[in-house]
Amino acid sequence: MSRMPQPENPAVDNHSLDKDPLDNQAVLETVEVPNYLSEEPVVTRKELWSYYLYYNGDNGVGPNGFSMTLFQSLATAAGWDPVRGKGSSCLDADASGQCVLPWGGGTKSVSSIVLVATGVSFAVMALMFTTIGSAADYGRFGRWLLLVVTVICWASQFAGMSLTSPDRWPAAMALYMIGFISYGATLVFYAAAFPRLARNTPRARSLKEKYETGAIGREEYELEESLEKNRISNISTMHSNIGYIATLCLNLSLLLPLENNPKVNNYVLVLVNGYWVLLGIWWFIFQQPRQGPPLPKGERYITIGWKQIWHAMKQYKQLPYTFIYLFAFFLLADGLNTTGTLVSICQNDKFQFSFLQNTYLGLAQAITSTASTLGFWYIQKWWKIGTKPMFVVTNVVTIFIPLWGMIGIWTDKFGFHNRWEFWAYNVVFGLFQAPYYAFSQTMMAELTPPGFDNMFFGLFGLSNRASSMIGPNVIQAIIDNTNDNWKGFPFLFAICAAASVVIWWGVDVKKGRRDAGEWAERNRAFGETGVFAKQKVMGDADGEGEGELVREGDGKRLK
């Protein structure tokens, strides 16, 4: 039975955990359970390419872009200008720029309604990830979970063909939310497969064998394995951007000849979704079974997620850097995701909800994203730079975007008031934010205990997607009170800056990675017992002494 590589100089290693602190004799028996990590098959070329192609199709053009544009367009066409009164059009040349719809016995601005829909969607994602996210670590549940949410997203996008008149804006809102929620779920459960793939590529397995036989040292092994993870993460992100380019180019084949057709936007949504179906189906065909342990006796898939998250959260003392990163990323993702939504709202208003203009802007972002993902990867590979320094570079731009939007509060000359600024935004976003997604995922993989991928990537998904139930609701309240979209940028700047500072100075990736590996080895029996091993230090009054494993909650030694 293979074991995780032993640490060279850990504060508490497995040898010390096997010794009684009183007589220095081995007394602790461990549960003999199958090592599911050692039984995982080596990644095949077809499997890896199908993984890349899924992300190529799941590029977000439809559920994360055009669906919101179509929803906002229909809502604006159905609304009225509050300055000119009910019955007026928000699209008139002399309109005030404000637009409201009936909402809860009163009215609400269209921008706020879009943000409410986004915020509620993120809240539903939070419920989903906490309920069934970590359950995907057991058996083959994770594989089927990704298939189900993918099919739901596909169905919602095809249903977009029914959204052809302004009075259907409530249906557009519902389909946008269903598509956005299921799209967010596909990203999380797709990303949860990444650590298992990365540690089972032929190169990763070869590196592990060399380390275990003493052919390479620990420092070299950790660096090279990290680079292998970054390679797969960057290539998959690059494929997402290639898919972004491909779908936008395909869109032009409809948008240009059918520019005056009132249903052209609906046709484009169907075309984008069809592209994803064509490329995404292969992952479910070529994915090899890498099932986890069976569900512990007495547990249910619908409830074990909450229990595991509660147990996982209690491990923060043993995995401090993992949880510092999760907390900081919660704020960072909230700020970035909400900033993207707010800029999109401003952009849609500026370009009058044009799918064609959004396609051109999207192409600028997609082309620069592809180039920057490759560029960042080659820079990292050439100079053998760690994941965190590369991630830090992208954080700087994450802070800069809402800072630029703040300028628009005091002047109309800058701060997302001009067409050229949206072109610049899409280029800058492409250059720096595409690598952001790759490096943030790799950072999480570095800090995730092997074998507990869905449990911790479920928390990561909560931080990445579901966290943004806060930002949109705060921003929509600010916009409702001020009737000014730009007043939301200071809040977003503050949380992005605070989160970045915590990541820069509060997360030690090297130490966090070793903590995660040692924690996973101690808790390998969890799948069979449903009980975490709890490290308890025993010794003198100063707290010095040998380590001992006890069962979480009852203080008994594991038997």
Side-chain angles (χ1 to χ4, degrees), residues 150-171:
T150 299
V151 170
I152 291 173
C153 193
W154 288 346
S156 70
Q157 297 299 284
F158 283 132
M161 270 304 302
S162 64
L163 306 175
T164 55
S165 60
D167 63 311
R168 295 182 181 176
W169 73 265

Side-chain angles (χ1 to χ4, degrees), residues 46 84 102 132 139 143 202 237 248 270 289 299 320 368-369 386 412 432 434 456 472 490 495:
K46 283 185 179 179
R84 301 169 64 206
I132 60 177
R143 178 175 184 169
T237 302
L248 292 174
V270 170
E299 297 291 351
T368 52
S369 293
D412 291 335
F432 292 96
F456 283 89
I495 61 174

